[in-house]
Amino acid sequence: MNSIWTIARKELSDSLRNRWLMAISLVFATLALGIAWFGAAASGQVGYASTPATIASLASLGIFLIPLIALLLAYDAIVGEEEGGTLLLLMTYPLSRSQLLLGKFLGHGLTLALATLIGFGVAGVAIALLVEDVAITNLAVAMFRFIASTVLLGWGFIALAYVVSVRVSEKPIAAGLALAIWFFFVLIFDLMLLGTLVASEGKFNAELLPWLLMLNPTDIYRLLNIVAFGDTGQLSGVLSLGADLPIGAAGLWIGLVLWFAIPLAAALLLFRNRRI
Amino acid sequence: MSCFRLENVSYRYDKSLVLHGIDLRLEPGEILGLFGHNGAGKTTSIKLILGLMQPTQGTVSVLGGQAGDPQVTQYIGYLPENVMFYPQLTGREILSHFARLKGASLRQVPALLEQVGLGDAMDARTKTYSKGMRQRLGLAQALLGKPKLLMLDEPTVGLDPVATADLYRLLRDLRDEGTGIVLCSHVLPGVEPYIDRAAILTEGSLKAAGDLAALRRQANMPVTLSLDPAHSISALEKVIDSAATSSGLMIKTDNGRLRVDVQPREKMALLQTVMASGEVADVSIHQPSLEDIYVHFIGSGGLAHRGGSQ
């Protein structure tokens, strides 16, 4: 446990030193405040629209940004150490490969969690203070849900980045594959699902179809933040399939947890079998 | 308890046999030189002892335990060839990080940095370090937590002559305190005075192992006597000719001295004859050096390989 924390501690202090933590927090805070302020612009006025609409907009932007940041943060976790020449040295210390990877995960995960908490937390407090007659409890619950699911989504993509990082032997390849992962889950997946829907002309098993959304963590994340308000009318595009998903919010949370637990387990397994 | 013991160890990488049938051990308080050209299996042997890889066949035991066991690696210091560090961290931060990982006291950190001569540079980022400074930091890292087994791969690369001498003095002190040390180097004349035993690897098998005297006996290479004639060089030549019973004896003359290559077992007999004749004013004896022995065991093919490194 001590060595896991030693590795995590170095990652955390690295992200403080290179100002990643600060930069991500700033981006999140700016984004959240911007959306809160200009959320009602579509209806012709500047001001706070409503908590559900703000959260839905944030979640829609979040699915682009959070996976990207998580992948950037973590893609060189192992391959970077190898190229830097420190992996071999680390492995001669009383430190197992699993401990190294878990330490990295703890460090990167905490960095992302802190940035999310600071960035969106500050925005949440600002909204609560500055917007008149906003339902505070309502906002607090929604913000908490949003922050928690954002952290889980980020962890999922950190774990996916590790799967790449323990497999490849060059940093540029890892970066390319990380971008491909982002491209697939954020852009391609929904298009493919939509294409399947259209092409099958309704002949596809209607029971099975909504479950396909569970194959994409970004879809689970969006569902979680929109469905929670009980307003399925906000669901657009393929997400409307989610209204038929018979698992409720708890199931979606479990889905997000599995989406970081399984890739992390896979990365640990692959790393253990890697030749150094 | 041996520092390490390799018994009939073979290692296969894909289809090719990298090591076969290696028997090698190191006792506490001993410096072992591990030699061989690039690709001979030195690094693989070290990785097996470090527990980074498992042998395909045979057993590796390290400090009375199993290679790679955290209880064991805690007592191993290792300096890899071309050691690299996190460029954005300072020497002190890096050494503290590694000390925490090894469970060594953080109070050791400044003392070790002073000891390797990085006292003034410990708070500078390592990206500003020269090759020699990185090497020193690597050394400090290997010395964390009082290792019982120290493995150094090309430790003197980038070090100036004074630092090199300091390093060897330090290694000698550690040896005297009971640390077992493995030295891999291509600078054979440099390490020759400091090693207790040498092991020579070629193409994955152990060609020879033992102390220098034993290796010389095994190699059976001629000893060179350099003789100063007392009266005339021809008289001295006559004495040697009459004494020489074996073939393969070579006599060369250069600037008034006589150089005689003699088989080790005939050396004393020849010396006695020459001394008795009164024709010699001065004698010096050149034993084959570690480099000569190395070339003898590696063969001329090995010599060509050696040119590429160091």
Side-chain angles (χ1 to χ4, degrees):
Chain A
M1 192 59 218
N2 248 337
S3 32
I4 294 181
W5 176 240
T6 303
I7 298 289
R9 178 189 163 137
K10 177 181 172 294
E11 290 305 324
L12 259 179
S13 75
D14 279 355
S15 60
L16 279 175
R17 184 192 309 265
N18 59 24
R19 304 203 166 69
W20 259 87
L21 186 63
M22 203 177 72
I24 305 172
S25 308
L26 260 176
V27 166
F28 285 167
T30 318
L31 199 74
L33 287 173
I35 284 177
W37 244 245
F38 301 104
S43 53
Q45 62 192 65
V46 175
Y48 190 70
S50 70
T51 301
T54 303
I55 295 287
S57 307
L58 272 178
S60 305
L61 263 170
I63 62 154
F64 287 97
L65 213 55
I66 279 105
L68 197 62
I69 288 172
L71 289 166
L72 275 178
L73 198 63
Y75 81 93
D76 67 345
I78 298 300
V79 75
E81 294 268 2
E82 189 180 40
E83 276 200 354
T86 39
L87 183 62
L88 180 73
L89 194 57
L90 280 176
M91 292 289 86
T92 67
Y93 274 72
L95 171 78
S96 72
R97 296 184 186 196
S98 308
Q99 284 173 323
L100 174 63
L101 199 63
L102 286 174
K104 291 263 178 188
F105 186 75
L106 192 61
H108 288 143
L110 275 177
T111 301
L112 194 80
L114 271 175
T116 311
L117 196 66
I118 296 169
F120 291 129
V122 164
V125 170
I127 293 171
L129 291 178
L130 297 175
V131 177
E132 286 165 31
D133 58 73
V134 65
I136 299 286
T137 18
N138 205 353
L139 177 74
V141 169
M143 264 300 178
F144 179 77
R145 188 191 308 115
F146 176 70
I147 289 173
S149 58
T150 300
V151 170
L152 283 178
L153 180 72
W155 288 357
F157 279 89
I158 287 175
L160 282 170
Y162 288 168
V163 172
V164 170
S165 200
V166 301
R167 275 299 288 174
V168 304
S169 54
E170 279 167 60
K171 239 164 101 167
I173 298 176
L177 285 175
L179 273 181
I181 288 177
W182 181 82
F183 206 70
F184 175 78
F185 282 116
V186 175
L187 301 173
I188 305 286
F189 186 90
D190 283 7
L191 275 179
M192 274 172 40
L193 203 55
L194 210 58
T196 318
L197 273 180
V198 172
S200 66
E201 293 173 340
K203 274 177 263 163
F204 208 84
N205 188 338
E207 300 261 299
L208 189 72
L209 217 44
W211 288 100
L212 291 179
L213 285 180
M214 298 297 280
L215 293 179
N216 186 345
T218 65
D219 282 340
I220 303 178
Y221 170 74
R222 271 196 295 175
L223 276 177
L224 197 57
N225 280 294
I226 295 170
V227 168
F229 293 102
D231 180 10
T232 46
Q234 287 266 6
L235 296 175
S236 55
V238 282
L239 275 193
S240 53
L241 282 171
D244 301 329
L245 210 54
I247 51 172
L252 292 174
W253 283 109
I254 291 171
L256 268 190
V257 169
L258 286 180
W259 259 107
F260 90 77
I262 292 171
L264 188 61
L268 284 169
L269 203 70
L270 286 171
F271 190 32
R272 210 167 294 168
N273 296 327
R274 179 196 176 119
R275 201 193 290 271
I276 291 184
Chain B
M1 183 180 66
S2 302
C3 284
F4 68 77
R5 195 182 290 214
L6 303 181
E7 277 162 13
N8 191 27
V9 166
S10 298
Y11 182 76
R12 200 177 279 278
Y13 182 94
D14 294 333
K15 287 254 160 62
S16 62
L17 204 54
V18 183
L19 286 179
H20 47 101
I22 303 279
D23 285 298
L24 190 63
R25 54 193 285 178
L26 177 73
E27 299 299 327
E30 195 177 35
I31 301 184
L32 171 74
L34 190 56
F35 307 114
H37 55 72
N38 300 321
K42 284 176 298 177
T43 308
T44 307
S45 308
I46 287 182
K47 283 184 173 178
L48 287 173
I49 296 164
L50 287 167
L52 293 172
M53 311 185 301
Q54 300 302 316
T56 318
Q57 193 197 317
T59 55
V60 180
S61 71
V62 183
L63 296 170
Q66 195 160 5
D69 190 324
Q71 305 292 337
V72 168
T73 45
Q74 202 178 347
Y75 296 107
I76 299 181
Y78 171 53
L79 172 67
E81 195 178 358
N82 294 323
V83 66
M84 301 286 280
F85 294 105
Y86 307 108
Q88 76 281 15
L89 299 188
T90 68
R92 188 203 293 266
E93 287 169 331
I94 286 173
L95 205 57
S96 304
H97 179 61
F98 282 113
R100 279 187 207 104
L101 282 176
K102 209 163 192 171
S105 158
L106 286 179
R107 259 172 300 162
Q108 243 193 323
V109 169
L112 270 177
L113 286 167
E114 289 286 351
Q115 192 178 358
V116 297
L118 285 176
D120 295 331
M122 63 169 90
D123 290 316
R125 295 186 178 203
T126 53
K127 68 176 167 197
T128 66
Y129 279 22
S130 67
K131 171 103 183 76
M133 289 163 85
R134 277 212 308 273
Q135 194 73 9
R136 288 155 192 251
L137 183 56
L139 205 63
Q141 164 277 134
L143 297 175
L144 278 169
K146 273 234 150 253
K148 292 180 183 165
L149 168 60
L150 195 56
M151 290 197 277
L152 309 174
D153 203 344
E154 295 290 351
T156 57
V157 171
L159 294 186
D160 57 64
V162 176
T164 305
D166 283 348
L167 167 67
Y168 285 132
R169 199 170 312 130
L170 175 67
L171 293 184
R172 229 175 216 176
D173 290 346
L174 288 170
R175 193 238 351 234
D176 293 342
E177 289 166 27
T179 311
I181 300 172
V182 180
L183 262 180
C184 284
S185 182
H186 291 298
V187 195
L188 300 179
V191 297
E192 183 172 351
Y194 300 98
I195 57 173
D196 299 310
R197 281 197 306 138
I200 298 174
L201 279 170
T202 40
E203 285 159 15
S205 60
L206 200 56
K207 264 279 153 84
D211 58 30
L212 280 180
L215 289 179
R216 282 196 188 103
R217 269 199 303 280
Q218 198 183 335
N220 201 26
M221 291 169 75
V223 178
T224 305
L225 305 179
S226 187
L227 305 167
D228 244 339
H231 306 105
S232 75
I233 200 153
S234 52
L236 185 56
E237 261 179 317
K238 228 169 269 162
V239 172
I240 290 164
D241 273 337
S242 62
T245 44
S246 74
S247 56
L249 198 73
M250 290 195 297
I251 301 174
K252 288 179 227 151
T253 40
D254 57 332
N255 43 341
R257 292 178 73 101
L258 199 58
R259 287 170 63 94
V260 183
D261 285 355
V262 60
Q263 290 301 311
R265 63 194 144 79
E266 290 171 347
K267 180 184 69 182
M268 287 316 292
L270 181 65
L271 272 175
Q272 274 156 1
T273 316
V274 172
M275 296 298 207
S277 72
E279 289 292 337
V280 67
D282 193 14
V283 181
S284 57
I285 303 171
H286 303 279
Q287 296 269 31
S289 68
L290 179 59
E291 194 150 17
D292 299 329
I293 296 170
Y294 177 81
V295 172
H296 171 85
F297 281 111
I298 297 284
S300 54
L303 193 62
H305 276 286
R306 221 163 48 88
S309 61
Q310 203 52 57

